[in-house]
């Protein structure tokens, strides 16, 4: 933890100088019945109840994660509930009107405010208006790292300075040193302010992974850095060996986690993308039963408006005998100044 904090601080200090200089209880769907961003069996009942206008199931779910300090699950559930509230805001309004100081409602409202601001031309103004919500959510439970993850995303969207971001990061990891969501937020911030130079992102991701428990999703942070590099269109080359090492670490992590687990779905979908771009066909095929029916918007929505359709097409291509041409058609590599990866081996939001 101390090392990753020191590295993040050093990267941000260097960036400062550089800038100055320059469905409930139902069985999961079968593998062939893939669904996009499916909730797990704890979140699904809360969403079903929310669709009826009821908030008690969501409240109880978030209360349970707080009581058990299940911060990773809490983070995912807050994100999922905020996504629902974005299309059905009256549900959250009723919850907050009935319990304005409820910790779960404050968190969902803070997440929703950031989500709404992100695509807006008035992002900066909307994010300023969201700040009191994030502060209230953070004060509601001093142990909870999730408000600090939201604050880190808020800082990235606000183009906050590096010193301020570093203060938020230190507060976040003080509460949960290996919280996956906070590490992803930090990686995204580094990617934003080091755009075109991915080596700093790899440095941070690799050190964080070394410091994480064997089954922690933080072990998959380097493959997220690899995805950011492979999906980008600028910046100096990252050596093939570093990409393969990130993929190897992620393949090992995927093998340690339960198969067809929605909690690992986004990680495995991003890993699949990286393996396809690296033309590691057998490793990619081996991920299909581990992903199961759980396709996720990330990374596929970055390449297609039909994220599920792209996932299904790639899955079918992998199951064939000659996937290379079909995958290349469905998933063309973005052009890079230095060409593709063939010179270093096989070709290959934050």
């Amino acid at each position: 933890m101390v090392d990753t904090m020191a590295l993040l601080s050093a990267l941000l200090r260097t960036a400062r100088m550089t800038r100055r200089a320059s469905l409930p209880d139902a069985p999961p769907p079968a593998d062939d019945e893939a669904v996009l961003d499916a909730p797990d069996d704890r979140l699904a009942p809360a969403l079903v109840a929310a669709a009826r206008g009821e908030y008690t199931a969501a409240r109880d779910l978030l209360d349970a994660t707080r009581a058990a300090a299940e911060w990773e699950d809490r983070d995912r559930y807050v994100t999922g509930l905020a996504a629902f509230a974005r299309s059905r805001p009256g549900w959250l309004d009723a919850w907050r009107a009935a319990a304005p100081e409820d910790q779960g409602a404050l968190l969902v409202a803070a997440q929703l405010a950031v989500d709404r601001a992100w695509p807006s031309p008035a992002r900066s103004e909307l994010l300023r208006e969201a700040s009191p919500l994030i502060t209230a959510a953070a004060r509601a439970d001093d142990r909870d790292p999730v408000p600090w993850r939201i604050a880190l995303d808020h800082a990235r969207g606000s183009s906050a300075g590096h010193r301020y971001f570093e203060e938020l990061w230190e507060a976040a990891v003080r509460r949960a040193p290996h919280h996956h969501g906070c590490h992803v937020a930090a990686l995204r911030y580094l990617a934003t302010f080091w755009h075109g130079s991915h080596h700093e992102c790899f440095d941070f991701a690799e050190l964080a992974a070394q410091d994480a428990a064997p089954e922690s999703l933080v072990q998959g942070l380097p493959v997220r850095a690899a995805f950011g590099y492979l999906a980008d269109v600028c910046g100096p080359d990252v050596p093939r060996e570093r990409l393969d090492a990130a993929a190897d670490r992620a393949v090992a992590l995927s093998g340690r986690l339960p198969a067809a687990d929605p909690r690992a779905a986004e990680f495995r979908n991003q890993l699949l993308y990286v393996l396809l771009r690296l033309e590691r066909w057998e490793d990619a095929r081996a991920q299909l039963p581990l992903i199961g029916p759980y396709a996720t918007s990330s990374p596929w929505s970055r390449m297609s408006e039909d994220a599920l359709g792209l996932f299904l097409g790639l899955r079918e291509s992998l199951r064939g005998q000659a996937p290379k041409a079909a995958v290349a058609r469905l998933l063309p590599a973005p052009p890079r100044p230095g060409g593709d990866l063939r010179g270093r081996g096989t070709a290959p939001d934050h």
Side-chain angles (χ1 to χ4, degrees), residues 285-297:
R285 286 191 187 99
Q287 291 305 308
L288 295 181
L290 296 177
I291 292 172
Y294 295 109
T296 57
S297 295

Side-chain angles (χ1 to χ4, degrees), residues 143 162 227 277 304:
R143 304 171 304 148
H162 302 315
F227 162 66
R277 287 290 313 281
S304 172

Side-chain angles (χ1 to χ4, degrees), residues 15-253:
R16 283 196 291 271
M17 292 186 290
T18 301
R19 283 182 168 271
R20 290 193 199 105
S22 56
L23 287 181
D25 302 322
D31 189 5
D32 287 337
E33 300 172 355
V35 289
L36 192 67
D37 300 327
D40 67 15
D41 57 2
R42 295 176 72 188
L43 179 58
L47 292 175
V48 170
R52 298 193 298 260
E54 302 168 7
Y55 58 82
T56 53
R59 180 200 63 199
D60 292 347
L61 175 62
L62 294 183
D63 283 351
T65 59
R66 179 172 56 83
E70 295 170 330
W71 306 127
E72 302 291 1
D73 286 344
R74 184 174 177 82
D75 202 346
R76 289 186 303 107
Y77 297 155
V78 164
T79 301
L81 291 166
F84 175 85
R86 194 168 180 179
S87 60
R88 296 281 294 274
W91 165 78
L92 181 58
D93 291 343
W95 184 3
R96 296 192 65 205
E101 303 301 320
D102 184 90
Q103 295 172 330
L106 287 170
L107 261 183
V108 175
Q111 181 68 61
L112 176 60
V114 173
D115 290 347
R116 281 175 168 168
W118 208 265
S120 171
R123 179 196 295 179
S124 296
E125 180 181 349
L126 292 174
L127 286 175
R128 279 196 299 272
E129 294 173 1
S131 293
L133 279 172
I134 300 172
T135 300
R139 288 174 175 169
D141 187 337
D142 191 55
R143 304 171 304 148
D144 189 353
V146 180
W148 296 93
R149 191 273 302 158
I150 298 173
L152 292 170
D153 286 338
H154 179 278
R156 176 169 58 98
S158 305
S159 299
H162 302 315
R163 288 190 180 89
Y164 176 66
F165 189 90
E166 186 179 340
E167 291 172 3
L168 295 177
W169 168 253
E170 290 176 356
V173 296
R174 214 167 36 239
R175 288 157 175 83
H178 305 294
H179 184 258
H180 178 245
C182 289
H183 279 77
V184 170
L187 187 63
R188 285 172 169 163
Y189 183 88
L190 287 173
T192 298
F193 286 92
W194 282 99
H195 185 65
S197 182
H198 295 272
H199 293 270
E200 291 78 10
C201 295
F202 273 90
D203 289 346
F204 174 75
E206 289 164 356
L207 188 57
Q210 292 169 17
D211 200 31
E215 295 185 358
S216 168
L217 285 175
V218 175
Q219 288 277 349
L221 211 61
V223 91
R224 185 178 283 269
F227 162 66
Y229 167 74
L230 291 169
D232 204 353
V233 294
C234 65
D237 287 345
V238 172
R240 170 69 191 235
E241 294 76 13
R242 200 169 195 181
L243 298 172
D244 277 322
D248 290 343
R249 182 186 288 273
V251 166
L253 172 61

